[in-house]
Amino acid sequence: MDSRMLPTRFTDMNIGDMLIVRNPGNVIPNSQHFQDELTTNEPTALELGCIVNNIRHVIVCGHSDCKAVNELYKLQDREFGSPENRKLFPVRSYLCTHALPSLEKFQQFQLTDYQKPLLFQAETPMKHFVAHIDPDNKFAFEDKLSQIHTLQQVQNIASYGFLKKRLETDQIHIHAMWFDIYTGEIYYFSRQAKRFVVIDENNF
């Protein structure tokens, strides 16, 4: 959603090469939040892209200084995220509904003094991957949360039943990227390296 993000530019793609879905905080709500015919734009876009148009690669792209993630970070203050404030501020309500698992993982990370790796579910409940978050300690706390939040969306995408068969048979692959707004560096989460690595001529 952030106008500073230009996916076609930093991926060197042309118009029409990608289906791009923008929303606050690159949130893909977990399917457990929806019953019967209730849904939102994100799973609708996933179905149109992956099922109707046979897209095989889904990329979740977060970035530094994400205003929605900055608000998520503030939800550690109970007053900030109180029921009264959630009624007044839609962003807080939205994040409390769909993004708290990311904050909970960040708080686990805090308890290890930002040292130990985190475990995330991958394309199926039987697959997991380990992630070392900002091991060089380059980024602000909010940006560490942003990277965790980006990886959490992989699990959320995999929660949708209409993707299950294709995920289990490797017809769809889910990736995570992260863009540093201020340096212009693009990071790709490498499951082999277990961390976000800079995309440059030495790595790719």
Side-chain angles (χ1 to χ4, degrees), residues 190-204:
S190 166
R191 298 190 191 185
Q192 182 177 2
K194 302 178 182 178
R195 61 178 292 181
F196 282 97
V197 296
V198 175
I199 297 177
D200 58 24
E201 62 274 9
N202 296 319
N203 292 324
F204 294 92

Side-chain angles (χ1 to χ4, degrees), residues 1-7 10 21-27 60-70 139-151 153 176-187 196:
M1 189 171 182
D2 196 310
S3 61
R4 296 172 294 178
M5 289 282 289
L6 298 172
F10 66 72
V21 180
R22 291 178 177 268
N23 68 354
N26 56 274
V27 174
V60 182
C61 189
H63 61 88
S64 63
D65 191 32
C66 176
K67 304 307 181 186
V69 172
N70 292 349
F139 300 111
F141 296 134
E142 293 87 345
D143 290 341
K144 296 179 198 295
L145 172 57
S146 177
Q147 292 190 350
I148 291 170
H149 177 66
T150 300
L151 295 175
Q153 306 319 301
M177 294 178 67
W178 196 81
F179 184 64
D180 189 336
I181 292 289
Y182 299 108
T183 66
E185 289 182 319
I186 308 163
Y187 292 78
F196 282 97

